[in-house]
Amino acid sequence: MAGIYLFCFLVFPLSIIFPNRRRLGRKDVFLEKRDENIIKGMASLFVIISHLILGIQRETEGLNAVISAFIILGQVGVLIFFFISGYGMYKGYGQKKPKLNFWYKRLFHMYLPCVIIQFIFCLIKMLQVEQFHFQRILFESFFYAWFIDVILIQYLIFYLSWLLSKGKQNILILFSFLFNIIPAFIFYVLKFEARWYNALWFFPIGMLVAWKEEKLIDFIYRKWARCIVVFSSLLLIMGGGRTCSVWFGKAAYTDVLKVMAGVFLCLLICTFFLKLDFTSRIMEYMGRRSLFFYLIHLGIMEILDGMKSLNSIEIFYIVLLLSFPVVEVAFQLYQLFVKNRNG
């Protein structure tokens, strides 16, 4: 148990914060490509740790409040990832003309590896229980990861907004927000978990920040310390209010606090990255393979959960140790497949 505490409360935070150095010169963008990868790596690690902590929460009654904070980090990690995806999408495509090649890249480089990974893990789980269901194979291969489903919805919304805006950036942003009302309403009416409709908004919020980037950067450079204080304070107020409402069983209608807390967190991250150069190679590595880490750690967890001889602590360490080599093998095999197909 002490090893869990050491990793969660010491190794994990330090791996994110360090190493870093003061950035020389002025940046023209909030996030460079390496910055995006590092933040995606952070978000991936938040999600992995929160999933693993859920399994051992019942064995740490004396630290439930602290442990819950790490579980909340997983929710935060998802919101950050959507924000970074929206930011990157606008920077990469917002000022270009719509082309069908957009879908080729999204489906071939994101959705296809997702389907393959989920198909393989589904087969392994069925071998464990010695039961095979064709319908389950189809569902788990194509629709099992809610995160992937929501990001595909965002790609569709972005593409439609992109077509209709006809090069007008303000219209592109406006349509991106308006079209998100439709799936958010549907998910709410169908009583999906709140993460389905909360996460939706961070994609267009990331786009909005990218659109107004120049003015925001100029303002934050002039008032950097003040921005840090204000964003941190608002994050604590909104996030604290949401967390307290959850702990006291009164979370109804407080999702807006979660969204606002996420917005100020993302602004705080962008503010830090203007003057600090985070150089963690571990986070950058995980960020470049974030999709694979997300899918593979879940698959390994589910397989290990089926082994009744393992306790939650053993699963914690096995998932952490296995995820890295399995992700690297899967990533390299898919890169080889892409290379041979294009070659």
Side-chain angles (χ1 to χ4, degrees), residues 59-76:
E59 301 175 22
T60 56
E61 294 181 4
L63 286 173
N64 263 346
V66 181
I67 290 295
S68 296
F70 280 89
I71 294 174
I72 292 171
L73 274 181
Q75 301 171 3
V76 170

Side-chain angles (χ1 to χ4, degrees), residues 103-254:
W103 281 111
Y104 170 80
K105 290 184 177 180
R106 303 283 83 73
L107 296 175
F108 190 72
H109 293 289
M110 190 279 286
Y111 193 53
L112 181 57
C114 169
V115 170
I116 294 172
I117 290 170
Q118 291 181 147
F119 172 75
I120 292 171
F121 276 113
C122 182
L123 288 182
I124 295 173
K125 288 182 289 184
M126 287 184 174
L127 283 172
Q128 273 188 303
V129 297
E130 298 181 349
Q131 293 180 1
F132 290 86
H133 302 284
F134 182 69
Q135 289 182 333
R136 180 183 167 189
I137 291 176
L138 286 178
F139 174 77
E140 292 203 13
S141 297
F142 290 95
F143 306 109
Y144 192 55
W146 78 273
F147 178 86
I148 305 301
D149 297 337
V150 174
I151 203 71
L152 284 172
I153 291 171
Q154 287 304 310
Y155 291 155
L156 177 60
I157 289 174
F158 174 82
Y159 191 75
L160 290 175
S161 303
W162 198 22
L163 289 172
L164 295 173
S165 64
K166 298 181 179 179
K168 296 179 180 179
Q169 306 305 304
N170 57 338
I171 302 299
L172 170 62
I173 301 298
L174 177 62
F175 279 155
S176 296
F177 276 100
L178 291 177
F179 286 154
N180 266 290
I181 295 174
I182 299 171
F185 178 76
I186 292 171
F187 294 149
Y188 182 80
V189 169
L190 295 178
K191 297 184 179 180
F192 279 40
E193 291 183 25
R195 62 186 180 180
W196 283 80
Y197 46 85
N198 284 339
L200 284 171
W201 301 107
F202 283 82
F203 196 94
I205 287 170
M207 291 173 58
L208 177 62
V209 169
W211 178 44
K212 293 296 184 180
E213 185 175 53
E214 187 176 344
K215 291 182 179 179
L216 283 170
I217 288 175
D218 183 62
F219 176 81
I220 291 174
Y221 263 122
R222 287 188 284 109
K223 304 179 184 294
W224 191 82
R226 191 178 301 178
C227 287
I228 293 292
V229 172
V230 171
F231 294 156
S232 299
S233 299
L234 291 172
L235 169 61
L236 290 173
I237 292 170
M238 301 293 182
R242 166 66 178 180
T243 302
C244 289
S245 66
V246 171
W247 284 348
F248 291 106
K250 299 179 180 180
Y253 309 111
T254 62

Side-chain angles (χ1 to χ4, degrees), residues 43 46-47 71-81 258 262 265 269:
F46 286 164
V47 172
I71 294 174
I72 292 171
L73 274 181
Q75 301 171 3
V76 170
V78 172
L79 302 183
I80 292 173
F81 192 90
K258 181 179 178 180
L265 174 62
I269 289 172

Side-chain angles (χ1 to χ4, degrees), residues 282-301:
I282 296 175
M283 293 300 103
E284 186 179 3
Y285 170 83
M286 291 187 69
R288 290 198 303 268
R289 292 155 174 72
S290 55
L291 173 67
F292 287 78
F293 270 104
Y294 179 81
L295 295 169
I296 286 173
H297 95 274
L298 284 176
I300 295 174
M301 280 182 63

Side-chain angles (χ1 to χ4, degrees), residues 276-332:
L276 293 177
D277 185 12
F278 291 83
T279 58
S280 172
R281 292 186 178 182
I282 296 175
M283 293 300 103
E284 186 179 3
Y285 170 83
M286 291 187 69
R288 290 198 303 268
R289 292 155 174 72
S290 55
L291 173 67
F292 287 78
F293 270 104
Y294 179 81
L295 295 169
I296 286 173
H297 95 274
L298 284 176
I300 295 174
M301 280 182 63
E302 291 180 346
I303 291 170
L304 295 178
D305 283 339
M307 300 178 182
K308 304 303 181 183
S309 59
L310 295 175
N311 60 44
S312 58
I313 305 296
E314 291 169 331
I315 290 174
F316 182 96
Y317 283 112
I318 292 172
V319 170
L320 285 180
L321 292 173
L322 278 183
S323 291
F324 282 86
V326 175
V327 163
E328 186 60 26
V329 170
F331 181 81
Q332 293 300 335

